Amino acid sequence: VPGIELTTPVWTVGAIGADLGRRLGQMGLGAVGQLIAHLPSRYEREEGEAPIAELAVGTVVSARGEVTATRLAGFGRKRRFEAVLMDETGRLDLVFFNQAYLHKRIHPGQRLRVQGELRRHGELMQLANPRFELIGDDEPEAREARVRPVYPASEAVPSRQIEGAVAAVLDEALPLIEDHLSETFRHERNMPSLREAYRMVHAPADEDEPGAARRRLAYDELLLLQLGLEMRRTHLRSKLRAPALRWDEEVQQRVRARLPFELTPAQERVLGEIAGDLSGEVPTNRLIQGDVGSGKTAVALCAMLMASASGKQAALMAPTALLAEQHAASIGAMLEGSRVRVELLTGSTPAGEREALLADLDAGRIDILIGTHALLTETVRFGELGVAIIDEQHRFGVHQRARLRAKAEDEATTPHVLVMTATPIPRTLAITLFGDLDVSVIDELPPGRRGVRTRVVGRDQREKVYAFVRRLVERGGQAYVVVPTIEAEGELENLRTVLEELQSGALGGRRVAALHGRMARDERAHVMGRFRSGLIDVLVATTVIEVGVDVPNATAMVVEHADRFGLAQLHQLRGRVGRGSRASVCVLIGEPTTEEGRQRLDAMRASGDGFVLAERDFELRGPGEVFGTQQSGLAPMKVADLRRDLDLLKLARRDARAWIAASPELGRPDEALLRRRLFKAHGEDLGLGDVG
Ligand code: ADP
Ligand code: MG
């Protein structure tokens, strides 16, 4: 029989067999290598066999003995099969509920090996529903205590069968696993070899081994990603040049004159960091973090004006058309009467207009282009893009960043890239997803903010809530009401129902309007414009208003079915109020049906700090949910847990930096395997194709 390879189909392995092999294949474990890469989710301790008299109550025990009596007892749901097992030292009572058929399999005189949790039942020592096997003529050896893997399983393939299949190929498969880290490197970090690690996860000799193996495998995942990020960053810095932009006295004065307020010290500091980057030729790749309302737009505008002042173009990409429209309106207003030309490009820009706009853009006649991901389409070409800014980064992934950069990239030049996010990214994630970015934090809100009081109420309080909104509106205030979705969906009110209910009820006679993502751009702009100038009192909206919408006179945010929203989303929604100098309130109406939902609303009530909430969200839902694969643009981690592995992540990051500094393209022969695995895992996601 020829030996197995990691690519060998499992159904051709004799010890696994065609039937189990086929079912494993359906689970995505069709090749030996895939089977080995399928890791246990936990372990069970199995005690070694001992004489009956020495078994300890309350533990999982193993014993063997002779069946001396059996009987069927009880009726109906209490029907059970009982057997007495004896060895030289004592007696053990076995009871099997709902397994009357065992009466035909287990008989006095047979020898059994049993395993289960030992209970005291009056005078008796009892095992309920123990595992058992009949001992034949060739008495098997007494089993030693061991740690047993429990695998993520399916209905068709229980953990036990996966365990058997893994055991069948493990010894032959292990020697085939090559390590991409050298022995010296591993030794310095106290890490086992890959072979050893896979042996320890599948067949641990003791309770500590799975942990040691897990550490190595998690480290590998983190290291590969960090190497990829670092490789790209180094490539960018050493091979590509960005235009050095002006930030001299004259430019500073002209730019500041356009802002309707003084920048806060935090904005000044971050602007200083950005200007430092942008005035050099090393391509900037910087993340600007700032809680909702901290004033990121003003800082972005300064960066864009640096480009215009230097004869270059700037792009601002927003996650929604509404936000892009709003940026275009407010930035357009600030630049009124200047020579800077600002244009808007979204998916709904009419074809004719779009064509003319693209021609002007290519010819360098547009200074600032604001838009949605429509900016990423092929046909959008800039004459000389100096700065690309992505607003609300969590909606965009690594991919988009690379594509936007490519808009002006040729062999040697690339724009400076800034990404801004209000959804604060927990530290571990920031390092993981944005490890290639420098980070600036605007950690202060503009002066005079009064904060937002948050109330969580049940649906029975709705009338009171809307009576409050009515009184607010009567005093000249404005409010938002957010409804989860515009489709009728089970018991969810849709937008129109809520709108009509309010118009004919609590807010009768007031100016109430709807806003949602399906509206045409003009219509939406019209409604937003009227709301901003106070001609609409209450905006009943979907989450299109989640990010960026900025109307300082609006001081109440009511969220219907608040338990259906994620924490980050709720925090964003709340951030739409509290933007002026008047006290604001956020009312979350919800009756959470899950514990997690309740915790989310509690967290909202307890904290107004986006960073605290982001950490909490991360704990509650994990990175996969907070930043889905699609959003992050990266494959999810299988072993590493970003909630627990911060130290390991730091180690991986430090190692990756040093490694790439010494070998920027991983081109040495002894790095070939590592490089191959890195490109396989992240080459496409990270756009490493052009590196080296
Ligand atoms: P975000 O960081 O959430 O994008 P914005 O840029 O939309 O915040 O700013 C929020 C509000 O604060 C806007 O109305 C903006 O005009 C105002 N603002 C920004 N910076 C300042 C400042 N330094 N002083 C006063 N108001 C400011
Ligand atoms: Mg913003």
Side-chain angles (χ1 to χ4, degrees):
V1 190
I4 61 165
E5 302 285 336
L6 292 175
T7 51
T8 303
V10 290
W11 48 87
T12 65
V13 177
I16 292 177
D19 175 53
L20 176 56
R22 187 181 46 76
R23 284 180 288 128
L24 286 168
Q26 283 163 357
M27 282 182 79
L29 307 178
V32 168
Q34 289 171 324
L35 186 59
I36 298 298
H38 187 65
L39 304 179
S41 51
R42 62 188 177 84
Y43 295 84
E44 266 175 13
R45 187 175 164 77
E46 208 174 82
E47 293 302 327
E49 260 177 50
I52 290 175
E54 288 172 24
L55 300 177
V57 174
T59 64
V60 176
V61 300
S62 295
R64 71 174 73 195
E66 187 181 324
V67 178
T68 58
T70 65
R71 68 164 186 153
L72 276 173
F75 294 98
R77 292 171 68 226
K78 296 221 161 142
R79 188 96 171 132
R80 61 193 184 270
F81 172 69
E82 296 178 350
V84 176
L85 193 75
M86 302 206 46
D87 70 3
E88 307 77 49
T89 67
R91 160 182 174 156
L92 197 54
D93 282 73
L94 312 180
V95 50
F96 298 88
F97 295 99
N98 294 313
Q99 296 175 68
Y101 63 90
L102 290 177
H103 194 46
K104 298 213 174 75
R105 278 189 63 192
I106 297 177
H107 307 288
Q110 285 174 331
R111 291 181 57 75
L112 288 189
R113 177 151 73 183
V114 295
Q115 188 189 50
E117 187 174 332
L118 186 65
R119 299 258 171 74
R120 187 188 299 280
H121 201 78
E123 290 290 281
L124 303 175
M125 302 296 253
Q126 191 185 71
L127 294 184
N129 294 331
R131 289 198 206 116
F132 71 92
E133 62 193 294
L134 295 174
I135 298 175
D137 292 337
D138 47 341
E139 188 104 342
E141 280 179 28
R143 201 173 269 158
E144 302 278 315
R146 63 176 182 139
V147 181
R148 181 158 195 178
V150 179
Y151 291 88
S154 74
E155 202 131 303
V157 195
S159 171
R160 289 275 159 154
Q161 291 187 7
I162 299 175
E163 185 185 351
V166 171
V169 296
L170 192 64
D171 286 346
E172 258 188 285
L174 287 177
L176 304 172
I177 298 174
E178 283 181 83
D179 210 319
H180 48 259
L181 299 178
S182 75
E183 198 178 335
T184 329
F185 187 91
R186 293 193 316 253
H187 194 75
E188 283 164 8
R189 286 156 192 77
N190 196 18
M191 304 250 180
S193 72
L194 267 190
R195 258 172 228 175
E196 191 60 3
Y198 279 105
R199 202 275 301 150
M200 294 193 298
V201 272
H202 291 299
D206 60 44
E207 272 153 353
D208 297 329
E209 282 196 350
R214 196 194 149 277
R215 181 168 173 271
R216 163 72 210 259
L217 298 176
Y219 173 80
D220 274 21
E221 279 186 342
L222 298 168
L223 180 70
L224 285 190
L225 180 55
Q226 291 305 317
L227 282 171
L229 289 168
E230 193 58 26
M231 200 169 183
R232 205 176 60 156
R233 178 183 147 102
T234 304
H235 174 73
L236 204 61
R237 293 181 160 247
S238 64
K239 294 278 165 54
L240 298 175
R241 285 286 156 267
L245 304 179
R246 287 178 58 190
W247 190 237
D248 47 59
E249 279 301 318
E250 190 204 330
V251 173
Q252 288 201 36
Q253 263 178 16
R254 266 164 44 200
V255 169
R256 286 180 202 282
R258 289 279 160 194
L259 300 176
F261 39 68
E262 297 267 300
L263 293 179
T264 63
Q267 283 170 316
E268 281 293 352
R269 176 174 40 75
V270 169
L271 179 58
E273 288 164 4
I274 293 172
D277 285 356
L278 266 51
S279 52
E281 285 197 314
V282 175
T284 305
N285 217 6
R286 188 175 280 278
L287 178 71
I288 316 294
Q289 283 192 350
D291 208 346
V292 285
S294 61
K296 294 182 291 296
T297 317
V299 174
L301 178 61
C302 294
M304 292 194 284
L305 291 176
M306 284 179 71
S308 334
S310 315
K312 304 287 177 200
Q313 294 167 299
L316 175 58
M317 186 164 83
T320 65
L322 183 69
L323 183 50
E325 287 153 16
Q326 179 178 279
H327 277 321
S330 64
I331 288 173
M334 283 191 257
L335 298 181
E336 185 96 52
S338 77
R339 274 169 308 177
V340 179
R341 180 172 164 201
V342 181
E343 293 292 346
L344 175 69
L345 179 71
T346 66
S348 49
T349 304
E353 204 178 303
R354 182 187 153 88
E355 217 161 288
L357 206 141
L358 292 183
D360 281 358
L361 187 69
D362 203 7
R365 287 192 292 267
I366 294 173
D367 302 293
I368 294 179
L369 183 66
I370 297 172
T372 52
H373 44 266
L375 295 194
L376 295 176
T377 41
E378 286 294 314
T379 48
V380 178
R381 288 264 136 230
F382 289 80
E384 275 183 294
L385 183 59
V387 180
I389 301 180
I390 304 179
D391 196 11
E392 308 299 351
Q393 162 78 16
H394 69 293
R395 299 286 192 89
F396 293 116
V398 179
H399 273 127
Q400 282 89 340
R401 218 188 314 147
R403 274 171 68 193
L404 192 57
R405 184 179 282 290
K407 285 284 153 196
E409 194 165 300
D410 54 35
E411 300 288 280
T413 56
T414 185
H416 295 288
V417 173
L418 298 174
V419 297
M420 307 197 291
T421 179
T423 297
I425 300 161
R427 230 176 98 57
T428 47
L429 264 192
I431 299 176
T432 313
L433 300 181
F434 308 114
D436 59 332
L437 299 183
D438 299 312
V439 180
S440 292
V441 184
I442 306 180
D443 51 6
E444 155 182 42
L445 296 179
R449 295 286 169 80
R450 300 267 308 272
V452 181
R453 208 155 35 90
T454 301
R455 301 280 309 274
V456 178
V457 301
R459 295 190 56 75
D460 55 338
Q461 305 282 305
R462 282 179 83 226
E463 247 175 73
K464 276 195 203 158
V465 171
Y466 288 115
F468 161 80
V469 171
R470 183 184 181 91
R471 288 194 302 277
L472 176 85
V473 165
E474 282 167 355
R475 289 186 321 244
Q478 287 174 288
Y480 300 97
V481 175
V482 174
V483 182
T485 169
I486 81 164
E487 311 291 356
E489 181 194 303
E491 86 272 23
L492 278 192
E493 283 103 326
N494 67 42
L495 190 71
R496 296 218 168 72
T497 318
V498 174
L499 184 73
E500 281 160 21
E501 179 198 340
L502 293 179
Q503 275 170 335
S504 61
L507 300 178
R510 307 313 312 188
R511 296 163 302 178
V512 184
L515 187 78
H516 58 78
R518 305 267 177 91
M519 286 161 69
R521 173 178 136 198
D522 305 355
E523 205 186 332
R524 199 163 53 209
H526 182 67
V527 171
M528 268 322 287
R530 287 170 60 82
F531 187 63
R532 190 171 299 120
S533 45
L535 296 172
I536 291 171
D537 301 315
V538 177
L539 209 52
V540 180
T542 59
T543 52
V544 289
I545 64 150
E546 179 190 334
V547 285
V549 167
D550 183 33
V551 179
N553 190 54
T555 55
M557 164 63 66
V558 178
V559 183
E560 293 267 1
H561 294 289
D563 47 298
R564 315 231 164 183
F565 294 93
L567 254 186
Q569 232 178 353
L570 288 173
H571 182 62
Q572 281 282 357
L573 287 171
R574 179 168 60 186
R576 299 309 111 218
V577 295
R579 304 194 139 234
S581 54
R582 280 186 290 149
S584 295
V585 59
C586 172
V587 186
L588 305 175
I589 302 175
E591 271 155 16
T593 48
T594 64
E595 173 61 16
E596 197 207 296
R598 198 184 56 70
Q599 291 190 7
R600 258 183 278 140
L601 296 187
D602 280 351
M604 281 297 293
R605 180 166 36 204
S607 178
D609 183 330
F611 280 81
V612 172
L613 290 173
E615 294 285 355
R616 188 81 186 99
D617 200 20
F618 195 46
E619 273 166 36
L620 284 175
R621 295 193 297 159
E625 288 294 313
V626 179
F627 295 80
T629 317
Q630 204 194 341
Q631 288 176 349
S632 71
L634 292 174
M637 301 275 150
K638 281 199 295 194
V639 187
D641 178 349
L642 297 177
R643 288 175 276 193
R644 291 193 298 160
D645 291 328
L646 183 59
D647 286 344
L648 209 53
L649 178 60
K650 285 183 182 158
L651 177 65
R653 179 147 177 75
R654 207 169 52 228
D655 288 343
R657 289 212 150 172
W659 199 319
I660 296 298
S663 177
E665 285 162 17
L666 300 179
R668 295 196 317 250
D670 61 336
E671 292 166 331
L673 182 60
L674 175 67
R675 191 173 200 278
R676 218 168 48 234
R677 286 183 177 158
L678 165 60
F679 273 63
K680 182 154 178 254
H682 303 297
E684 203 178 314
D685 287 348
L686 294 180
L688 292 178
D690 55 342
V691 177

Short mmCIF file of all heavy atoms in Angstrom, two decimals, residues 296-297 323 327 391-392 420 548 579, ligand 2:
data_model
loop_
_atom_site.label_atom_id
_atom_site.label_comp_id
_atom_site.label_asym_id
_atom_site.label_seq_id
_atom_site.Cartn_x
_atom_site.Cartn_y
_atom_site.Cartn_z
N LYS A 296 -14.17 64.89 13.03
CA LYS A 296 -13.20 64.34 12.09
C LYS A 296 -13.28 65.04 10.73
O LYS A 296 -12.27 65.19 10.05
CB LYS A 296 -13.45 62.84 11.91
CG LYS A 296 -13.17 62.04 13.18
CD LYS A 296 -13.37 60.56 12.98
CE LYS A 296 -14.82 60.17 12.77
NZ LYS A 296 -15.70 60.44 13.92
N THR A 297 -14.50 65.49 10.38
CA THR A 297 -14.67 66.08 9.05
C THR A 297 -13.78 67.31 8.86
O THR A 297 -13.18 67.49 7.80
CB THR A 297 -16.14 66.48 8.82
OG1 THR A 297 -16.97 65.43 9.33
CG2 THR A 297 -16.43 66.69 7.36
N LEU A 323 -24.58 60.14 3.48
CA LEU A 323 -23.44 60.77 4.13
C LEU A 323 -22.57 61.51 3.12
O LEU A 323 -22.10 62.63 3.39
CB LEU A 323 -22.62 59.70 4.88
CG LEU A 323 -21.43 60.19 5.68
CD1 LEU A 323 -21.79 61.34 6.61
CD2 LEU A 323 -20.83 59.04 6.49
N HIS A 327 -21.71 65.43 3.31
CA HIS A 327 -20.34 65.95 3.27
C HIS A 327 -20.21 66.97 2.15
O HIS A 327 -19.62 68.04 2.32
CB HIS A 327 -19.33 64.83 3.01
CG HIS A 327 -18.94 64.07 4.25
ND1 HIS A 327 -18.74 64.68 5.47
CD2 HIS A 327 -18.68 62.75 4.44
CE1 HIS A 327 -18.39 63.75 6.35
NE2 HIS A 327 -18.35 62.58 5.76
N ASP A 391 -14.08 57.70 4.92
CA ASP A 391 -14.79 58.02 6.15
C ASP A 391 -15.50 56.76 6.66
O ASP A 391 -16.03 55.99 5.87
CB ASP A 391 -15.82 59.12 5.87
CG ASP A 391 -16.32 59.76 7.16
OD1 ASP A 391 -15.73 59.51 8.22
OD2 ASP A 391 -17.30 60.53 7.09
N GLU A 392 -15.50 56.59 7.97
CA GLU A 392 -16.18 55.45 8.59
C GLU A 392 -15.64 54.12 8.08
O GLU A 392 -16.33 53.32 7.48
CB GLU A 392 -17.69 55.54 8.39
CG GLU A 392 -18.30 56.87 8.81
CD GLU A 392 -18.09 57.19 10.30
OE1 GLU A 392 -17.64 56.30 11.04
OE2 GLU A 392 -18.37 58.33 10.70
N MET A 420 -10.90 57.28 8.39
CA MET A 420 -11.46 57.83 9.62
C MET A 420 -12.52 56.89 10.13
O MET A 420 -13.34 56.37 9.36
CB MET A 420 -12.12 59.17 9.31
CG MET A 420 -11.20 60.13 8.58
SD MET A 420 -11.80 61.81 8.65
CE MET A 420 -13.25 61.71 7.62
N GLY A 548 -22.78 59.85 10.43
CA GLY A 548 -22.42 61.14 9.84
C GLY A 548 -23.44 62.25 9.85
O GLY A 548 -23.07 63.40 9.78
N ARG A 579 -25.12 67.26 19.48
CA ARG A 579 -24.15 67.91 18.61
C ARG A 579 -24.16 69.42 18.77
O ARG A 579 -23.33 70.11 18.20
CB ARG A 579 -24.41 67.55 17.15
CG ARG A 579 -24.42 66.06 16.96
CD ARG A 579 -24.33 65.67 15.52
NE ARG A 579 -23.43 64.53 15.45
CZ ARG A 579 -22.37 64.45 14.68
NH1 ARG A 579 -22.07 65.43 13.87
NH2 ARG A 579 -21.59 63.40 14.72
MG MG B 2 -18.17 61.89 10.43
#
